[in-house]
Amino acid sequence: MALSLRSTAFACLTALSTLFVSLPAHALDETQKKEFGEFIKEYLIANPEIMLEVQEALERKQYETRNAKAADAVAENQKLIFSSKYDLSLGNPNGDVTLVEFFDYNCGYCKRAMSDVDDILKTDKKVRFVLKEFPILGPESLEAHKVSNAVKLLAPEKYPEFQRTLLGSQGRANEASAIEVAESLGLKEADIRKSMAQNPNDAQVKEAYTLATNLGITGTPSYIIGNEAVFGAVGAVPLKEKIANMRTCGKATCS
């Protein structure tokens, strides 16, 4: 099949670029270097969509590299990801598929993604949903997560409602707002502060940060399902598809 003019020009440009980069500095004189540079500039101005293609190719490569790193980290950290002693879960405790979310109480995307998770848990009674507290949005987030840890220790049965209430609240989550939510569920501030003093959640935070680093997670929400990491608030549909894939082929993405 004959190449289009655009494809031919692009092929020539690629070949010339490769040749130019591979040549020693003395192979082209200054006039030739200038002419070659002007040719590239003119071609890109005439065909600016090429830059979009390059950007897409770069993003695709980075995504694949990131996912490969995450897959290795998931394989090496199964217990800490899916069964950490610090984490509590929602949904079916004996579910056939586990979905893990790294979240921060002050993450706006996490707040909006709550409806995605709630939809999954409402429509699929066989999913286990693990809450991985990952305070990365400043001192107030650390404060809120310390209170959250106290709630988990004092009244684990009330933690799911506490977590959904605080994450779904307006304004910045901090120590005061977290204690207010806990008190509304029947816990006493004195007990919360005593637990916070006796049981700082430094080890929990360190574990979450170490896992995130290994998995290539730099923001929230991020999810782990099967052998994959899913970065960002992607919506309920992609997550449901990966859950279905887990049941079909045992992987988040079936080949």
Side-chain angles (χ1 to χ4, degrees), residues 38-214:
E38 290 175 350
F39 168 73
I40 294 177
K41 179 179 178 181
E42 290 175 2
Y43 182 84
L44 291 177
I45 290 175
N47 300 275
E49 65 275 12
I50 291 295
M51 300 306 295
L52 294 177
E53 293 178 9
V54 171
Q55 179 65 25
E56 290 172 0
L58 175 61
E59 291 176 354
R60 184 164 56 251
K61 183 176 181 180
Q62 290 176 332
Y63 181 80
E64 291 171 352
T65 300
R66 194 179 186 187
N67 272 345
K69 175 184 178 181
D72 290 340
V74 170
E76 294 169 2
N77 297 276
Q78 289 278 312
K79 185 175 181 180
L80 292 182
I81 293 171
F82 298 104
S83 305
S84 172
K85 64 181 180 180
Y86 300 117
D87 302 333
L88 294 184
S89 63
L90 306 180
N92 188 337
N94 300 309
D96 62 346
V97 176
T98 297
L99 176 66
V100 179
E101 179 185 358
F102 285 73
F103 77 95
D104 184 302
Y105 282 115
N106 283 311
C107 167
Y109 292 106
C110 299
K111 293 177 183 292
R112 290 193 283 276
M114 276 182 62
S115 60
D116 299 330
V117 173
D118 291 342
D119 176 31
I120 292 171
L121 296 179
K122 182 179 179 180
T123 58
D124 191 333
K125 300 302 181 181
K126 296 190 293 182
V127 170
R128 173 174 172 260
F129 179 56
V130 173
L131 297 159
K132 186 78 67 176
E133 302 207 8
F134 184 41
I136 58 172
L137 297 177
E140 290 181 322
S141 288
L142 283 169
E143 293 173 4
H145 282 275
K146 285 181 181 295
V147 176
S148 183
N149 185 59
V151 172
K152 280 192 290 186
L153 295 174
L154 292 170
E157 74 283 357
K158 295 183 179 181
Y159 174 76
E161 186 176 358
F162 169 87
Q163 192 269 345
R164 306 314 271 170
T165 301
L166 184 58
L167 185 58
S169 62
Q170 300 294 318
R172 293 284 295 177
N174 53 31
E175 182 179 283
S177 64
I179 288 178
E180 183 178 349
V181 171
E183 286 184 310
S184 73
L185 299 177
L187 281 78
K188 296 181 180 179
E189 180 176 353
D191 293 335
I192 294 170
R193 293 193 178 282
K194 182 178 179 180
S195 179
M196 290 168 61
Q198 294 178 341
N199 305 287
N201 69 335
D202 298 341
Q204 173 191 335
V205 173
K206 181 178 179 180
E207 180 181 285
Y209 269 69
T210 300
L211 279 175
T213 299
N214 293 338

